[in-house]
Amino acid sequence: MTSTGAAILFAADIKPHRSLSPRGLSLLVAALGITSFTITLIFFSLGAWPIAGFNGGEILLVILLLRSHARAARAREVVVLTEDGLNITRIDEHGRRTERNLPAGWTRVHLEDRPGRVPALYLASHGRRIEVAAALGEIQKLDLAEALKNALHRARHPVFDNPQLREG
């Protein structure tokens, strides 16, 4: 049940894929640091001391980029279909939330092919188009599109079970 009391008919929690765990990231940074320090020490002992500054700058840049990549993994997108409508909540890597609502009865799922790239998945209603699941790969996006289409169809065409109409 949602905060409005409507039953949840479909929910998807979409997070960007990251192949490294926080521990793996720490080990990678440590290995890069040790390797960089070793190379710097060798060049320094050979008299090429300016290499130390460049190598230190490079390793600092790599560490900053890896941290930025890991921080981006905190972003997520939640798509929830209830009897009241379709709610899309986006949470960026800084924790800021944005919410969009679409009426379930009028929402259409549209996959747009983009040559050489992963197709874009759009939810459209009343002239508004919202791209969802931008972080997913092609196969996951196709699966999500099919699941959303099925859930929207079930929401628009509910099956009622009336015991009085059963053959008995």
Side-chain angles (χ1 to χ4, degrees):
M1 299 293 262
T2 62
S3 59
T4 61
I8 295 176
L9 305 174
F10 176 84
D13 190 2
I14 303 160
K15 298 176 186 174
H17 174 70
R18 296 295 185 256
S19 58
L20 278 178
S21 67
R23 184 173 185 265
L25 184 63
S26 297
L27 290 173
L28 177 63
V29 168
L32 287 172
I34 291 169
T35 304
S36 175
F37 181 73
T38 304
I39 291 171
T40 301
L41 204 59
I42 291 169
F43 277 100
F44 192 80
S45 66
L46 294 173
W49 57 267
I51 296 295
F54 288 109
N55 205 8
E58 286 176 354
I59 198 67
L60 181 64
L61 180 63
V62 168
I63 290 170
L64 290 174
L65 289 173
L66 284 171
R67 285 193 56 175
S68 173
H69 181 72
R71 189 178 319 114
R74 293 190 295 217
R76 63 192 291 187
E77 197 171 22
V78 181
V79 179
V80 178
L81 174 64
T82 66
E83 297 161 342
D84 295 339
L86 187 66
N87 182 292
I88 301 132
T89 304
R90 288 195 176 111
I91 304 166
D92 68 9
E93 64 268 11
H94 304 292
R96 292 185 296 252
R97 297 174 68 102
T98 57
E99 288 194 33
R100 303 284 300 267
N101 293 299
L102 297 171
W106 296 99
T107 301
R108 300 287 176 254
V109 178
H110 176 67
L111 270 170
E112 185 177 293
D113 284 331
R114 301 184 291 188
R117 296 175 54 199
V118 174
L121 177 59
Y122 291 101
L123 300 176
S125 177
H126 294 94
R128 291 183 358 199
R129 274 180 20 146
I130 301 170
E131 184 176 4
V132 294
L136 294 182
E138 185 172 3
I139 294 170
Q140 296 87 1
K141 206 173 276 194
L142 294 172
D143 289 344
L144 178 62
E146 190 64 31
L148 267 170
K149 284 179 185 177
N150 291 337
L152 285 166
H153 179 77
R154 284 191 311 272
R156 287 186 209 110
H157 304 94
V159 177
F160 297 103
D161 181 28
N162 187 341
Q164 296 172 350
L165 297 177
R166 287 188 204 151
E167 300 276 335

